[in-house]
Amino acid sequence: MASKSKVRVAIIGAGFAGLGAARKLLSHEKFDVQIIEAASKVGGRVKTVSVSGSPTVELGCTFFYYYRNTSSSLTDVVKEKGFVAGIMEGCSDDITEADMPAYRVLSNGEKLPYDQVEYYQKMYFKIRDELSHRAATGDWEYVIDSQWEKGGAIDLREVAYEEYIAKRFQSLLKPECADAISLDPKLIIEHLNSYEAYMSGKGSENIDLLTECVCYLDPDGQIILNCSYQDVADALAKDVPSKSLQLSKEVQVVHWTPYTSTAADAKHSTSTSGASAPVSILCTDGSHYSADHVIVTVSLGVLQQRCCSSSSSSFFSPQLPREKLSSITKLGMGKCARVLLAFSSPLIAEPHRSIEFYWLEKDYGYPEKYPWASKQFLFARKGRSSTYIARFTGDDAVAVENTNASELAEGICLVLEKFLQKPIDRPLLVEKSTWCTDRLFLGTFSHHLKGSTTSDRDVLSQPLHGSTPLQVLFAGEASHPTLYSTTHGAYNSGIREADRLIDFYTE
């Protein structure tokens, strides 16, 4: 007979949201908790890879952000556990070598002039910061640089994000400046748009970057960890008793009990041990768990597939309310992929933290055999090693995850050979992320699609009351209003739902 156990709070998922909720609840004696995790490890979207002769590589969660004026429970935890080696301004794939230059090269092998690229890149990010202020305040005449003319004001509500950037560039480029700088700004804009697409998890042309500018809280820098992301997750899990953490248990359906009376009338009328519980969780191996409350931390991609798609059986029975389904559908789930390639020696002799690709229009679509490789924009190096990370977005990311290691190496090396104008030995090791195609995630992290607002994240985060209050609660990065797409947002959302239950039982 399938096993069945009863707890006060069940938590689906042992990522940062689930671990955050469990640690907070277990700090109060009145809560017995059971985490149910489908994977064989904790950490959710974390994927740490060890490579001989190279710093640890993160193919899953990459950045551990730092916020100067915003409290983060996760930052407090890593400080307490002694995992913080330092803090740096800005974000870099390799924070240990952030002071090394990038090697910037055209698709014809010509190295780009450093000063000119820096000039355009600083202008690009100033325009982005100006846009964030304009969008947040509604002041579309605001100018971030006192030397810039207000006549270049453009209302993003009337144009696409990329078009806004291009037009603002043109409005700021004075004739004397254009004469002094020979580099076509279009090359820089396209490259940085690719970078922005990756950082925002862009998986669709329908991403609403205006809403992103208003809602998303940009980090002030990165925390330099003295350990891996998986080490952080494992340390958090050690604070959870082993009996309260079940791995390799994939949830098939969550049964919850709809209203039979108002939540107000039923307040504190949760079941006692041994009594019938309002929430029943069935796993794919036939095991059952019953609980008074369940905190669901599965990814937005899983919610979209299991709750909003006719091709899958529903994750909830009965189905979620229409308003919540609508918000889940409106939000976007990004598509990004990372490919690790370990070579026998560095690709170029001169010091570099990365190789940046700038495509000439005549080379668009190369290599024809591997179309997913034709939009590479950055090849990040790990420290001073011979290990590099290639990055892909959108449908190219899905194609990469569905491509075998040999073809990945071939396609990426063809691009390297074109840009570096020399033969490239094939890598000794190829590893890739699987965010997009793994049924436990079905995407990287959330963003705003056109038509979505921050209220959709609020609706997603609201609990379901049934015959008893707070039966189904929701956590995860997608449910955080400003720190979505980050582990900080995920962890804080777990704390939020734990506090919701703690407040309920202490009123």
Side-chain angles (χ1 to χ4, degrees):
M1 184 176 178
S3 62
K4 188 169 185 176
S5 57
K6 163 72 173 63
V7 292
R8 174 152 285 177
V9 183
I11 300 173
I12 300 176
F16 281 86
L19 292 172
R23 293 178 76 252
K24 185 63 183 272
L25 289 171
L26 289 169
S27 66
H28 291 69
E29 292 183 359
K30 65 178 63 177
F31 292 100
D32 56 325
V33 172
Q34 181 67 64
I35 303 179
I36 308 167
E37 168 58 49
S40 58
K41 68 170 188 65
V42 300
R45 283 167 255 187
V46 170
K47 185 176 182 178
T48 299
V49 179
S50 297
V51 182
S52 177
S54 166
T56 298
V57 177
E58 303 294 351
L59 286 183
C61 304
T62 305
F63 301 110
F64 202 99
Y65 290 130
Y66 161 68
Y67 301 90
R68 186 178 295 110
N69 299 315
T70 301
S71 63
S72 169
S73 301
L74 188 56
T75 298
D76 295 338
V77 171
V78 295
K79 286 181 178 178
E80 291 170 8
K81 293 185 177 293
F83 291 153
V84 177
I87 296 175
M88 65 164 280
E89 297 295 316
C91 297
S92 170
D93 247 356
D94 182 24
I95 54 182
T96 63
E97 302 294 341
D99 58 336
M100 293 180 66
Y103 185 86
R104 294 159 174 155
V105 60
L106 288 170
S107 52
N108 64 2
E110 179 185 343
K111 187 178 177 182
L112 291 174
Y114 181 83
D115 291 343
Q116 292 187 20
V117 175
E118 286 293 300
Y119 174 86
Y120 281 139
Q121 287 198 355
K122 287 178 181 178
M123 182 183 291
Y124 180 97
F125 287 110
K126 271 190 174 182
I127 291 173
R128 188 188 184 285
D129 290 343
E130 178 186 81
L131 170 58
S132 295
H133 181 91
R134 288 178 170 185
T137 63
D139 179 8
W140 293 93
E141 294 291 322
Y142 169 80
V143 176
I144 195 171
D145 192 317
S146 59
Q147 297 179 356
W148 292 2
E149 297 179 1
K150 286 192 175 185
I154 302 164
D155 192 334
L156 181 62
R157 292 167 293 188
E158 300 174 359
V159 298
Y161 177 85
E162 290 84 353
E163 185 182 354
Y164 177 99
I165 296 291
K167 285 187 174 182
R168 191 71 175 118
F169 252 97
Q170 294 303 319
S171 72
L172 296 170
L173 284 177
K174 299 178 181 179
E176 60 270 24
C177 177
D179 292 339
I181 296 181
S182 59
L183 186 61
D184 184 355
K186 180 182 177 182
L187 291 169
I188 310 300
I189 294 172
E190 289 182 349
H191 175 86
L192 291 173
N193 280 345
S194 295
Y195 175 81
E196 288 282 288
Y198 180 88
M199 294 301 292
S200 65
K202 184 175 181 180
S204 167
E205 294 303 317
N206 291 323
I207 189 170
D208 188 345
L209 285 165
L210 172 58
T211 304
E212 295 278 303
C213 287
V214 175
C215 299
Y216 182 72
L217 181 63
D218 284 318
D220 296 300
Q222 279 180 267
I223 291 176
I224 304 172
L225 299 174
N226 56 22
C227 63
S228 72
Y229 241 119
Q230 189 60 55
D231 290 333
V232 174
D234 290 340
L236 295 176
K238 286 181 180 178
D239 296 333
V240 178
S242 57
K243 66 178 182 179
S244 297
L245 175 59
Q246 287 288 325
L247 300 177
S248 302
K249 288 276 186 182
E250 186 172 356
V251 172
Q252 180 173 315
V253 62
V254 176
H255 295 278
W256 61 289
T257 309
Y259 280 111
T260 55
S261 60
T262 65
D265 292 339
K267 189 171 184 179
H268 295 297
S269 65
T270 52
S271 63
T272 57
S273 180
S276 177
V279 177
S280 176
I281 301 165
L282 171 65
C283 296
T284 55
D285 64 359
S287 57
H288 288 78
Y289 297 87
S290 57
D292 294 324
H293 315 276
V294 59
I295 302 176
V296 178
T297 74
V298 299
S299 76
L300 176 67
V302 170
L303 290 176
Q304 290 174 335
Q305 176 67 25
R306 294 293 309 278
C307 300
C308 307
S309 172
S310 58
S311 62
S312 299
S313 58
S314 179
F315 196 74
F316 296 95
S317 179
Q319 181 59 284
L320 298 177
R322 186 173 301 173
E323 183 184 21
K324 192 175 289 287
L325 290 175
S326 176
S327 291
I328 290 171
T329 303
K330 287 180 181 178
L331 294 170
M333 190 62 170
K335 299 176 185 177
C336 298
R338 297 163 62 85
V339 180
L340 176 158
L341 299 98
F343 296 89
S344 58
S345 61
L347 294 171
I348 53 178
E350 61 187 270
H352 63 287
R353 71 172 184 267
S354 63
I355 301 172
E356 294 182 3
F357 302 125
Y358 292 81
W359 291 86
L360 296 170
E361 191 170 350
K362 68 181 182 64
D363 294 319
Y364 289 173
Y366 177 87
E368 192 173 332
K369 183 179 179 182
Y370 303 108
W372 49 264
S374 65
K375 295 177 184 176
Q376 288 182 74
F377 62 96
L378 180 67
F379 213 51
R381 185 184 182 192
K382 296 303 297 180
R384 298 177 184 269
S385 74
S386 305
T387 299
Y388 296 79
I389 307 294
R391 305 198 277 196
F392 303 87
T393 62
D395 292 338
D396 292 331
V398 178
V400 162
E401 291 190 6
N402 286 316
T403 301
N404 64 48
S406 176
E407 291 183 327
L408 285 175
E410 181 68 17
I412 291 170
C413 285
L414 284 174
V415 171
L416 285 168
E417 289 174 343
K418 183 169 188 60
F419 278 82
L420 301 181
Q421 297 287 293
K422 66 177 184 178
I424 300 293
D425 291 336
R426 295 319 182 239
L428 306 174
L429 174 69
V430 178
E431 289 271 359
K432 62 185 176 182
S433 62
T434 54
W435 272 345
C436 302
T437 53
D438 190 326
R439 72 178 187 281
L440 301 184
F441 308 122
L442 299 177
T444 49
F445 40 80
S446 66
H447 55 237
H448 280 281
L449 293 178
K450 291 177 180 175
S452 68
T453 66
T454 189
S455 65
D456 290 307
R457 296 188 187 277
D458 181 61
V459 171
L460 173 58
S461 70
Q462 292 305 306
L464 297 180
H465 302 287
S467 58
T468 54
L470 300 175
Q471 277 190 30
V472 185
L473 302 95
F474 296 84
E477 57 87 9
S479 72
H480 198 286
T482 59
L483 298 180
Y484 54 88
S485 82
T486 71
T487 46
H488 293 273
Y491 192 83
N492 283 5
S493 73
I495 298 293
R496 178 195 69 213
E497 297 311 305
D499 283 339
R500 197 190 301 269
L501 287 171
I502 292 167
D503 291 346
F504 172 76
Y505 279 98
T506 55
E507 286 181 1

